[in-house]
Amino acid sequence: FELADPEQTMAVARGEFIYMIGRTGSGKSSLLKTLYGDLYLKEGEGNVAGFDLKQLTWQKIPLLRRNLGIVFQDFRLLPKKSVFENVAFALEVINKSPKIIKRTVPEVLDLVGLTGKAQRKPHELSGGEQQRVAIARAFANRPLVLLADEPVSMLDVSIRLGILNLLADLRDKEGLAIL
């Protein structure tokens, strides 16, 4: 994707892993929300996965998001659904067939190290496991770009490195662009 205004330009290519660092309130989450269409781009130019953010209408937002994986700060897991159902939900909303869902969910759960936990509910998991479910859900549709809003901020220091290594592995194995 690419963002530009007269003074600043930012481009992220396939296979890049970009960290944004800044104080609370500096706009990191707002930038991510703009990239996935939750906030409108008011100034400058922006393009994400072939979508012009200045021309993005509410009807096109679901089409944009089919090309993105989004990992939220607070995981946003569905508490009454199992791990399998939480990941499957991301595929159901883009109309993937039950056959594809049945094959894909175990694959991505294995990729994030959650084999054998498919039937557990979120409250039965540690914070690190919940974050890995959120990453699996974001990655299930094999997006072009993964947007992760403080993906390790709510985790113990010992778990943070594992999550960052997992994201780096996804970048390396899948050529995923991560911000």
Side-chain angles (χ1 to χ4, degrees):
F1 64 85
E2 189 171 350
L3 290 173
D5 72 24
E7 297 178 28
Q8 300 176 5
T9 299
M10 179 172 122
V12 180
R14 192 164 181 85
E16 285 192 285
F17 196 149
I18 305 296
Y19 297 86
M20 288 191 304
I21 300 170
R23 296 180 322 247
T24 299
S26 64
K28 300 178 303 290
S29 293
S30 295
L31 173 60
L32 292 177
K33 287 179 180 182
T34 302
L35 295 175
Y36 63 77
D38 219 25
L39 294 175
Y40 288 103
L41 181 64
K42 295 178 183 175
E43 297 178 25
E45 299 175 22
N47 184 299
V48 177
F51 288 82
D52 182 341
L53 296 178
K54 284 291 243 193
Q55 304 299 320
L56 192 63
T57 62
W58 65 269
Q59 297 97 329
K60 291 183 182 176
I61 290 172
L63 299 174
L64 164 66
R65 290 183 183 169
R66 287 177 185 225
N67 295 289
L68 305 176
I70 305 167
V71 181
F72 299 98
Q73 278 184 22
D74 58 358
F75 314 144
R76 295 198 188 171
L77 299 178
L78 303 167
K80 294 184 180 184
K81 293 193 178 286
S82 69
V83 167
F84 185 97
E85 292 166 329
N86 266 280
V87 176
F89 182 75
L91 298 169
E92 291 165 357
V93 298
I94 59 171
N95 299 315
K96 293 292 182 183
S97 72
K99 182 179 179 181
I100 290 174
I101 293 170
K102 190 175 181 179
R103 183 185 74 235
T104 302
V105 172
E107 287 174 3
V108 295
L109 289 177
D110 182 52
L111 201 59
V112 301
L114 291 174
T115 302
K117 304 218 176 191
Q119 297 312 311
R120 299 225 177 134
K121 299 280 199 259
H123 73 274
E124 298 174 311
L125 304 172
S126 70
E129 289 170 330
Q130 289 181 37
Q131 186 64 297
R132 286 186 278 157
V133 174
I135 292 167
R137 181 183 57 199
F139 182 69
N141 70 334
R142 298 303 203 268
L144 298 171
V145 179
L146 185 72
L147 303 173
D149 194 355
E150 298 190 31
V152 296
S153 65
M154 298 176 69
L155 302 174
D156 294 339
V157 175
S158 61
I159 298 171
R160 288 180 185 182
L161 186 58
I163 295 297
L164 292 173
N165 285 335
L166 168 63
L167 292 172
D169 285 347
L170 290 175
R171 176 206 57 204
D172 294 343
K173 291 176 185 173
E174 307 288 335
L176 188 61
I178 302 172
L179 177 64

